[in-house]
Amino acid sequence: MKAIKIFIATALLIFVAACGNEQAVEFSDSFDAATESAKGSTVNLYMWGGDEGINSYIDDYVAPRLEESYEVELNRVAMDAAEFIRQLSLDQKADREVGTIDVVWINGDNFRNAKEAELLRDGLMERIPNAKLLNETAQQSDAGIPTDDMELAWGNVQFILHYDATKVDNPPQSFEELRRWTEDNPGRFTYPEVTDFTGNAFIRHLLFERYGAELEENATIEESFWDDLKAWSPNLWKEGQTYPKTLEQLDQLYASGDVWMTMGFNERRAEAEVANGIFPKETRALVLDHSIASTHFLAIPFNAPNPDGAIVLIEELLSPEAQLVKQGPDYWGDGTSLDLTKLDEADQQAFEALGDGKTYPDTEQLQERSIPDYGPDVIDAVREEWSRVAK
């Protein structure tokens, strides 16, 4: 009896250990096999949730299409990229081979951190048919870091400001003119804290104004830069004693008229906000003397519980139909990551027919003033040093 009890206890321990250390779920051998495997499943998409237009695009457009075309349910989880990278890191340390995240929306320093820690699966290009339609330049690197097939480009955007034309008669045309404009209009401009992606990007534009591309070689920012930025603070909203924590909060200040400008990495995003009565009707685009062009990406974590569902979701998100609606004015206004020359004539014409919205910037001006982003070292430096400005 004693031997039998020991045997049963040992068997239970082995069973419990096996349950607590599930084996990683592998991709199916082909896309067709993945679609069959994914039927009836749920795929978890983790992404920033601070923009209602983006959220609505996923919930009201993408999710129904995914269900109808592939019989896959989409679960959108709102979470900042840095947070889900931390979650994946904890999973890795705990040897958790089956996690909870299937697809992540990612770019920049978060991709760098995930890549260095080996938190993402590779081989995406060969598994997702629509990946062949991607713009090769956009797909090649992420803020200077080679993508190495660990993420796929989802959209291309450029940084611009939007302003209320009923309140801003002569909008500034450069970052230096913006400083002078705030002297004449104190309290009517601000930017998000640099822990926010958009706020950090705004400071990087100011750095480019002073250093140009040379800062990429040596990410050392002189103290005089921070002194000048601090000297500017009294002309900002709340005299620079506090800053919006997120772009969403800045948008709310703009919508309520507390500030007369907002900003962001999406040159078309204001169209839906105006149409929905959130932004002022006379909102217009403002491209200053340089504008960072940025690509954002989709990736699949190392321990995705439903990798086949992830493949199916990304295939849908990269389809010409979904990319067209994403770029249009109804939801998001996000620039496509596809190479339009690779599309058939009907799809090319559909993109061309989108035309120019009232809040869109001049396309030629955007192209002329486009600059590449600094790498993660500069992003980190801004985050670390900005405390000299806002304590």
Side-chain angles (χ1 to χ4, degrees):
M1 284 296 294
K2 185 176 181 182
I4 293 174
K5 289 180 180 179
I6 292 173
F7 174 79
I8 293 173
T10 303
L12 286 172
L13 285 173
I14 293 172
F15 176 76
V16 170
C19 290
N21 189 25
E22 298 177 272
Q23 294 298 307
V25 184
E26 301 299 333
F27 290 119
S28 291
D29 293 336
S30 67
F31 179 74
D32 287 342
T35 61
E36 286 299 316
S37 169
K39 282 184 179 179
S41 69
T42 297
V43 60
N44 299 313
L45 170 62
Y46 279 59
M47 58 184 287
W48 176 67
D51 186 295
E52 288 307 311
I54 298 174
N55 297 342
S56 181
Y57 170 71
I58 296 297
D59 297 341
D60 301 335
Y61 176 78
V62 175
R65 280 177 58 91
L66 197 68
E67 180 69 43
E68 180 180 352
S69 300
Y70 297 102
E71 298 179 30
V72 174
E73 182 180 350
L74 175 56
N75 177 39
R76 177 180 61 83
V77 181
M79 183 180 290
D80 288 343
E83 293 180 21
F84 59 64
I85 294 301
R86 281 194 292 271
Q87 180 173 327
L88 291 174
S89 296
L90 291 172
D91 285 353
Q92 186 185 62
K93 292 176 182 177
D95 293 326
R96 191 171 295 116
E97 294 192 27
V98 179
T100 58
I101 306 173
D102 293 308
V103 179
V104 293
W105 182 22
I106 192 172
N107 74 335
D109 57 336
N110 290 303
F111 172 65
R112 173 201 58 182
N113 296 337
K115 183 181 180 183
E116 290 177 352
E118 299 181 348
L119 300 178
L120 305 175
R121 301 193 184 200
D122 59 11
L124 301 188
M125 288 290 292
E126 64 186 23
R127 299 185 182 280
I128 299 174
N130 281 333
K132 67 180 183 293
L133 301 176
L134 290 172
N135 180 296
E136 294 175 11
T137 301
Q139 176 57 34
Q140 186 175 11
S141 65
D142 183 348
I145 305 165
T147 58
D148 289 338
D149 217 5
M150 295 181 183
E151 58 178 2
L152 294 179
W154 189 19
N156 282 320
V157 290
Q158 270 187 248
F159 187 96
I160 69 166
L161 277 68
H162 279 99
Y163 68 97
D164 186 347
T166 63
K167 298 173 180 175
V168 183
D169 296 327
N170 298 301
Q173 299 301 309
S174 69
F175 286 93
E176 179 56 37
E177 288 185 17
L178 176 61
R179 287 189 186 89
R180 294 200 295 268
W181 183 88
T182 62
E183 293 175 1
D184 297 331
N185 300 273
R188 298 305 182 179
F189 178 83
T190 190
Y191 55 89
E193 293 181 359
V194 301
T195 51
D196 175 84
F197 182 74
T198 303
N200 196 297
F202 178 74
I203 300 302
R204 299 200 300 276
H205 282 83
L206 301 181
L207 287 170
F208 189 88
E209 179 185 40
R210 176 169 295 198
Y211 296 103
E214 68 182 53
L215 192 63
E216 189 64 65
E217 302 299 324
N218 179 16
T220 301
I221 305 170
E222 297 169 324
E223 288 189 17
S224 59
F225 174 83
W226 301 113
D227 292 339
D228 291 345
L229 197 59
K230 187 173 183 178
W232 188 21
S233 296
N235 293 320
L236 303 181
W237 175 73
K238 298 290 186 181
E239 297 183 340
Q241 296 299 311
T242 185
Y243 293 78
K245 292 187 179 299
T246 63
L247 174 59
E248 183 180 17
Q249 290 185 7
L250 176 60
D251 282 346
Q252 290 169 354
L253 291 175
Y254 175 69
S256 64
D258 290 311
V259 298
W260 296 348
M261 295 183 185
T262 187
M263 62 186 69
F265 262 114
N266 187 344
E267 60 269 29
R268 298 175 179 85
R269 75 186 187 94
E271 198 77 2
E273 302 289 352
V274 172
N276 293 330
I278 299 172
F279 281 2
K281 289 183 178 180
E282 296 303 313
T283 294
R284 296 293 181 267
L286 180 60
V287 185
L288 300 182
D289 38 0
H290 46 271
S291 165
I292 292 175
S294 178
T295 302
H296 54 89
F297 297 80
L298 298 164
I300 301 176
F302 75 98
N303 62 347
N306 185 8
D308 285 341
I311 289 292
V312 168
L313 172 60
I314 296 177
E315 171 74 1
E316 175 60 33
L317 292 173
L318 297 185
S319 68
E321 297 83 3
Q323 287 276 310
L324 179 69
V325 172
K326 180 167 69 73
Q327 183 167 308
D330 294 335
Y331 295 103
W332 187 350
D334 182 56
T336 183
S337 59
L338 304 183
D339 182 342
L340 298 187
T341 65
K342 295 181 179 180
L343 307 185
D344 61 36
E345 185 175 353
D347 286 331
Q348 289 185 40
Q349 290 177 351
F351 275 96
E352 292 168 0
L354 287 176
D356 298 324
K358 291 182 179 180
T359 67
Y360 294 178
D362 179 81
T363 303
E364 291 185 7
Q365 191 180 58
L366 265 181
Q367 293 174 346
E368 291 170 357
R369 301 184 181 187
S370 173
I371 59 171
D373 202 352
Y374 290 123
D377 288 345
V378 176
I379 296 173
D380 289 344
V382 170
R383 193 178 290 123
E384 292 166 5
E385 300 291 337
W386 190 66
S387 59
R388 302 183 188 187
V389 177
K391 296 181 179 180

